[in-house]
Amino acid sequence: MNEPTALSDHPGPLRPPRHPVDQRCVLWWRLRAVVAVTPPVIPTLAVVVFGGDWLGGFARWLAVAFAALLVGYVVVMPQIRFRIHRWEITDEAVYTKSGWLTQQWRIAPLSRIQTVDSTRGPLRQLLGLSSVTVTTASAAGAVDISALDQALAAEVVQYLTHTTQATPEDGT
Amino acid sequence: MSVSPPDLSDPTAGGWERLDRRVMVVNGLRSSSSAILLVVVLVAFRSGGGAMLPVVLTLGLAGFAVSFGTEAVRYQRTSYRVTPERVELRSGLLQVRHVSVPRDRIRRVELTAGPLHRLFGLSIVSVGTGEHGRADGDAVDLDAITTPLAESLRAQLLELAPRVTGFETPAAISLPAPQGPAVHTPPPLPTTLSVSAPGDDGTELARLSWRWAPYHLLTFWTLLLPLMAIGALWQMLTTIGIDPIDEQVVEGTAGLLDTQPLWALALMVLGGGAVVGVVGSLGAFTVSWFGYRLTREPGERLQLQRGLFTTRTTTFDERRLRGVKFQQSLAGRIVGAGRLRVIAHGVTGADQPNRASGDALLPPVPAATAHEVATKVLKLDEAPTSVELIRHPAGARERRLIRAAIAAVALVGGAMAAVAADVGPWVLAPALVLAALVFVLAIDSYRSLGHRVHGPHLIARSGSPTRTISALQRSGIIGWTISQTFFQRRRGLCTLTATTAAGDGAYSIIDLSLDAAAQLACQAVPGLLDHIVTADGDHGRADTARGPFVRLTG
């Protein structure tokens, strides 16, 4: 039985991908956050306004704290996300970093890419943005670049489609 | 459309074929079996019932007719075709279904035959492609054709499947990179579609040993069967008109029980339960694993057969084998036993709702046997499931201990609140025991963690109380995900996940340092991360940039 050895041939750390996502993503994420936050905000504000003596005044403070948390989410989350979200296409792979509280680095080898799609919902459409979704044969392998300028996204899709067509393997 | 029975010598001729005619009888009997049983029971027990008899017989006959009619229509409307490129199945009366599977996507063929199918010499052929995201109904199920025809169909489907793509031979295990310079010459295309002899047995890798039977007692069957027996007894009593919670019955039983000392009663109940559990579990073992054989067939196929009443023969393409998984439950770890499962394309976990018999390679067996079979299946010198692994950083243990501490505080705090609310001080005892157990699990969970690259495999171990070791072939890795939660980031830890097209689709190494994750990924799939993990202090600056879209970096 050979002993497990410490790895030394690649001593370097993981560097972040080179390119930031489009600046307009901050607005997109913020709008999305507003949409998500609206349903809980309305009853919370109702408690702040009308719930003065509930639970001996405690309910109002709770509601104020919760509302502050929601507003903080809308203000802060897009900023943090923008600092973290990055993407790159190396000679070998599509490489992305995403997330905010939980961060993810995703690497999909060009030779294993099965489909490349650009996706845009109504908000991204409005802002002229487009996401690029790269899937492999694995159920867990999709890599998402969100989001880029629509022209750039189209260019990336075309480049990846062209490159992966040249690879003869079936991606598994 | 030809109605004649298919030509046995050449199922790939390309015409539309019918299923075997006898399947109407088999499935008709199967689906009307409850009606038949009902008629038999009622006629037997109420033979003097007079007026009831014609009604019962009419209803029974109606059920019988509907079952057979449905089957006759299904038979009439179902046809299949095997062309050199595709396997196609057409079925349905009102909503016609047409399923077409490209033959070069076929990864697994399974032959299943229940007792009635076997009586009539028929087998169900199910074909798996192993493509994720594909609707389950899209797999082709031929229910049923004659067993010899099914066997020759299986041989041909799997013979042709891998050679068209000519993707990887087992020599490809010798890496380095999936997209590396090592080009493997595809084996030549078969020039003829010959029927391989069904008697060809291949090399045997494992066969049933009755000494494995006791290990089956460690499975959930042993606990489940006594409970099921009680349920069945209850049901039976209700059916024959005794209400088990009726006052008289309860009193009568209590009177009977009063004459016995308590310990004798407890012994009787436990003993009875144990006997039912042991006998039932051994029975389940026999039904599932009778005739078990794992063989390597010519043409690089692995074949697993088993079953007492319903026989299953699963054959899969060895070139699509991507590793093995060894799972030990708590009881299994105590006695040194576990289950060996396969990681392969077209083979999913046992909980899939299709006919496929899951990913088990062996019943629960002693660890040494599992390691030996793993070695043979993967064609290695040493079992990847038994090698020494790299331990994880102390931060991983701290995280688990902190989580355990939070759970323990919650448990004890809850118990103290209960005591304060006059529930009684005894509540503290189970709370303290549980709290201690949580810490034991935390330590065990840390001790389970391990990883390494070993030969052609990436090995990951985790889990408590059930411990799982996965050995995933490095050439089967088709992507990486490193994820870091807020709490992991504070300790410099992360979770490395290798994605693959086989088995579960993703295999994770939990709580290793970020640098170790990057280095492990580099070591497992050389070349892929060359420009991402760098020793020369490149932090993604523009002046060192290569590749497309460089101009974007400002």
Side-chain angles (χ1 to χ4, degrees), chain B residues 261-308:
Chain B
L262 195 64
W263 61 267
L265 279 174
L267 213 65
M268 263 165 64
V269 170
L270 284 179
V275 167
V276 170
V278 167
V279 170
S281 188
L282 293 180
F285 174 78
T286 311
V287 168
S288 298
W289 294 95
F290 184 82
Y292 165 79
R293 264 184 102 221
L294 181 65
T295 50
R296 173 169 281 125
E297 302 288 304
E300 287 166 297
R301 286 172 287 141
L302 279 179
Q303 187 160 309
L304 191 157
Q305 58 191 64
R306 63 190 180 99
L308 180 62

Side-chain angles (χ1 to χ4, degrees), chain B residues 511-537:
Chain B
D511 281 349
L512 72 170
S513 79
L514 195 55
D515 284 355
Q519 286 160 14
L520 188 65
C522 282
Q523 200 193 17
V525 184
L528 178 59
L529 279 76
D530 274 358
H531 301 300
I532 297 172
V533 176
T534 48
D536 55 10

Side-chain angles (χ1 to χ4, degrees), chain B residues 362-379:
Chain B
L362 280 169
V365 294
T369 309
H371 297 320
E372 188 195 324
V373 172
T375 313
K376 283 183 187 164
V377 164
L378 298 172
K379 293 184 178 165

Side-chain angles (χ1 to χ4, degrees), chain B residues 118-486:
Chain B
R118 285 168 70 184
L119 196 67
F120 285 86
L122 300 178
S123 285
I124 302 168
V125 181
S126 88
V127 172
T129 59
E131 280 173 30
H132 288 279
R134 219 183 148 91
D136 201 48
D138 280 9
V140 168
D141 257 355
L142 303 180
D143 180 10
I145 55 178
T146 63
T147 302
L149 181 63
E151 277 168 0
S152 72
L153 189 62
R154 167 183 63 199
Q156 296 194 12
L157 288 180
L158 281 167
E159 193 169 321
L160 193 64
R163 301 205 174 167
V164 170
T165 46
F167 173 51
E168 271 178 289
T169 61
I173 294 170
S174 65
L175 292 169
Q179 74 278 42
V183 176
H184 311 291
T185 27
L189 278 164
T191 45
T192 52
L193 297 173
S194 59
V195 179
S196 71
D200 200 345
D201 272 355
T203 334
E204 185 173 278
L205 303 179
R207 69 157 52 237
L208 179 73
S209 158
W210 289 103
R211 271 173 302 181
W212 297 344
Y215 294 100
H216 203 264
L217 297 178
L218 304 174
T219 61
F220 70 100
W221 285 106
T222 315
L223 281 177
L224 189 69
L225 284 167
L227 296 178
M228 278 166 65
I230 292 170
L233 192 68
W234 191 285
Q235 184 84 41
M236 216 162 71
L237 288 175
T238 321
T239 311
I240 59 173
I242 299 173
D243 185 356
I245 44 175
D246 180 78
E247 217 169 295
Q248 256 181 322
V249 178
V250 172
E251 269 172 26
T253 319
L256 187 72
L257 296 185
D258 274 344
T259 60
Q260 309 287 335
L262 195 64
W263 61 267
L265 279 174
L267 213 65
M268 263 165 64
V269 170
L270 284 179
V275 167
V276 170
V278 167
V279 170
S281 188
L282 293 180
F285 174 78
T286 311
V287 168
S288 298
W289 294 95
F290 184 82
Y292 165 79
R293 264 184 102 221
L294 181 65
T295 50
R296 173 169 281 125
E297 302 288 304
E300 287 166 297
R301 286 172 287 141
L302 279 179
Q303 187 160 309
L304 191 157
Q305 58 191 64
R306 63 190 180 99
L308 180 62
F309 300 121
T310 296
T311 57
R312 290 178 189 284
T313 311
T314 311
T315 313
F316 48 89
D317 182 355
E318 207 180 334
R319 275 160 285 202
R320 298 296 171 157
L321 186 70
R322 288 289 173 264
V324 293
K325 201 160 79 170
F326 181 56
Q327 253 174 351
Q328 287 186 294
S329 64
L330 185 61
R333 283 164 65 189
I334 291 167
V335 301
R339 311 193 68 141
L340 189 68
R341 300 179 183 279
V342 69
I343 299 173
H345 292 226
V347 183
T348 44
D351 51 349
Q352 295 295 311
N354 56 14
R355 241 190 266 271
S357 59
D359 56 1
L361 273 181
L362 280 169
V365 294
T369 309
H371 297 320
E372 188 195 324
V373 172
T375 313
K376 283 183 187 164
V377 164
L378 298 172
K379 293 184 178 165
L380 297 172
D381 304 325
E382 190 183 0
T385 46
S386 68
V387 294
E388 210 173 311
L389 302 179
I390 299 173
R391 307 192 73 162
H392 286 217
R397 182 171 45 209
E398 284 161 30
R399 286 193 68 207
R400 279 161 184 73
L401 287 177
I402 288 173
R403 271 185 293 193
I406 293 170
V409 164
L411 273 167
V412 175
M416 280 162 87
V419 171
D422 269 352
V423 177
W426 59 269
V427 192
L428 274 175
L432 285 172
V433 170
L434 277 177
L437 213 63
V438 166
F439 278 101
V440 172
L441 278 180
I443 294 290
D444 183 58
S445 166
Y446 171 71
R447 290 167 68 102
S448 281
L449 295 178
H451 69 271
R452 84 179 280 192
V453 166
H454 180 257
H457 293 96
L458 172 68
I459 301 166
R461 189 179 64 194
S462 69
S464 174
T466 295
R467 182 179 281 186
T468 305
I469 306 172
S470 307
L472 177 65
Q473 204 181 83
R474 288 153 61 194
S475 60
I477 296 172
I478 59 171
W480 296 103
T481 301
I482 297 175
S483 78
Q484 196 176 43
T485 64
F486 178 72

Side-chain angles (χ1 to χ4, degrees), chain A residues 1-20 86-93 95 100-112 114 136-141 152 155-156 159 169-172, chain B residues 105 107 132 167 178-179 320 322 345 382 386 388 390 452 454 475 477-486 489 499-501 505-506 515 518-520 522-523 527-528 530-534 538 540-541 544-549 551-553:
Chain A
M1 191 182 291
N2 39 346
E3 286 290 307
T5 50
L7 317 168
S8 59
D9 44 343
H10 284 280
L14 208 61
R15 67 162 174 77
R18 287 178 203 283
H19 317 304
R86 298 183 74 82
W87 68 281
E88 178 176 350
I89 295 161
T90 71
D91 294 347
E92 293 86 21
Y95 175 35
W100 68 296
L101 286 181
T102 294
Q103 299 178 6
Q104 288 196 321
W105 293 256
R106 285 180 167 270
I107 297 144
L110 296 182
S111 59
R112 306 303 181 108
Q114 284 196 329
T136 63
S138 168
L152 177 59
E155 208 180 317
V156 171
Y159 173 81
E169 294 172 20
D170 70 351
T172 58
Chain B
R105 290 280 168 197
R107 307 289 181 247
H132 288 279
F167 173 51
Q179 74 278 42
R320 298 296 171 157
R322 288 289 173 264
H345 292 226
E382 190 183 0
S386 68
E388 210 173 311
I390 299 173
R452 84 179 280 192
H454 180 257
S475 60
I477 296 172
I478 59 171
W480 296 103
T481 301
I482 297 175
S483 78
Q484 196 176 43
T485 64
F486 178 72
R489 188 152 57 249
T499 59
T500 171
D515 284 355
Q519 286 160 14
L520 188 65
C522 282
Q523 200 193 17
L528 178 59
D530 274 358
H531 301 300
I532 297 172
V533 176
T534 48
D538 171 12
R541 290 193 318 273
T544 55
R546 299 153 41 85
F549 307 104
R551 61 184 166 74
L552 293 170
T553 317

